[in-house]
Amino acid sequence: MSLRKKIADSEAMLNWFARRIASYIRMVHRNTRWQRIGYEELDRLAEQGEPVIVVLWHQRLAQSPYFFPLDKGRICSITSAARAGSMVGRVQMLFGMDTIAMSSHKRHVALSREVLGKMKQGISIGIAADGPRGPERVCSTVPLIWARSSGKRVFGITYSTRHGREAGTWDRLLMPRPWRNEGVFLCREWTETVPRKASEDEMESLRQSLERHMNDITAEADRMVGREPWRPKP
């Protein structure tokens, strides 16, 4: 086994990296003047123990531990079982979030059963709708299927900061500057209803609607802090 693989598979090293990433996230949060907009209804539901489905874009994962009011309720994040996704899960657990790892070996039915079980316990579910590997900003039907099965409400959440750069990753991950920054957390419910027996055409229309919703709120957050909104790659 190569030294690189030994390091990559070392629990001690993985936990060390997770703590370093969590420290960066906390530093950004601490040194940024935040606005928190549109959270009234989500806060109310969390306090009542009513679970919801939280949708975000993979590009805005870097502040995801602060998306949900953890002082009012619990949330379980759906991550990838691959190394990058596993690291996201480790980091989010350091903030008190639950996680479920998706893997190619876990059937969608089994994953959905696990997710619905969490919601029956009053735990909200969070998912990056274009993860874990993209395409960038192309929404999957997964949150729609869970909304249809559970009847729970869907909230899109995003953030943006005035100062930061986009990483050279497939999702163009936003990396905020960890000092003297301004930012916004924006939460808005997606109010479409997913019929219990939706046709393929209806599901595709709803998928596009959720995708537009996420792009709209993320562009709004960007404009609020003076950042140029996202554009598809040419």
Side-chain angles (χ1 to χ4, degrees):
M1 182 184 295
S2 68
L3 177 61
R4 181 178 178 181
K5 192 172 190 312
K6 285 182 179 179
I7 292 173
D9 290 339
S10 165
E11 284 293 312
M13 287 301 298
L14 291 171
N15 288 332
W16 183 87
F17 279 115
R19 289 194 296 271
R20 299 287 73 75
I21 295 169
S23 294
Y24 161 75
I25 293 170
R26 291 189 177 101
M27 187 182 302
V28 169
H29 192 75
R30 185 171 59 249
N31 295 328
T32 301
R33 188 173 64 216
W34 292 101
Q35 298 180 72
R36 190 171 181 269
I37 298 173
Y39 273 85
E40 294 81 6
E41 185 64 7
L42 180 60
D43 286 345
R44 185 185 70 81
L45 292 170
E47 285 181 334
Q48 293 178 351
E50 178 62 34
V52 301
I53 298 168
V54 171
V55 178
L56 61 148
W57 282 143
H58 208 274
Q59 187 195 38
R60 305 299 163 110
L61 273 172
Q63 284 293 298
S64 60
Y66 294 103
F67 277 11
F68 188 82
L70 290 170
D71 58 330
K72 297 177 173 64
R74 293 173 63 191
I75 188 169
C76 179
S77 172
I78 309 303
T79 64
S80 167
R83 284 198 178 100
S86 173
M87 182 57 66
V88 170
R90 287 173 188 268
V91 171
Q92 292 178 336
M93 287 174 67
L94 291 173
F95 287 85
M97 300 170 68
D98 297 347
T99 65
I100 295 175
M102 290 190 298
S103 75
S104 57
H105 305 296
K106 185 181 289 186
R107 296 180 58 176
H108 288 301
V109 172
L111 175 62
S112 293
R113 189 179 298 119
E114 198 170 351
V115 165
L116 293 174
K118 290 285 187 182
M119 284 192 276
K120 286 180 181 178
Q121 297 173 43
I123 301 171
S124 293
I125 297 294
I127 184 170
D130 56 344
R133 291 180 295 273
E136 176 190 22
R137 300 257 189 137
V138 175
C139 185
S140 75
T141 58
V142 172
L144 304 177
I145 292 169
W146 293 343
R148 179 179 64 187
S149 300
S150 67
K152 301 304 180 184
R153 295 161 70 175
V154 178
F155 288 81
I157 300 184
T158 192
Y159 88 97
S160 189
T161 56
R162 180 174 297 277
H163 303 291
R165 62 181 182 82
E166 293 180 354
T169 51
W170 68 263
D171 59 351
R172 292 186 267 180
L173 182 69
L174 177 61
M175 303 292 290
R177 189 176 77 182
W179 68 89
R180 295 178 63 186
N181 214 337
E182 299 173 28
V184 58
F185 289 107
L186 182 59
C187 173
R188 186 166 299 149
E189 184 175 5
W190 179 70
T191 55
E192 299 271 7
T193 299
V194 184
R196 295 289 292 181
K197 296 183 178 180
S199 67
E200 287 187 14
D201 287 345
E202 287 176 311
M203 288 295 281
E204 175 59 17
S205 177
L206 290 166
R207 187 198 67 76
Q208 292 179 16
S209 172
L210 180 56
E211 189 175 288
R212 286 193 301 271
H213 178 80
M214 294 305 303
N215 280 333
D216 287 347
I217 65 171
T218 306
E220 183 176 341
D222 284 340
R223 286 191 290 267
M224 289 179 70
V225 296
R227 175 173 289 278
E228 183 70 24
W230 172 91
R231 294 181 184 277
K233 292 178 181 177

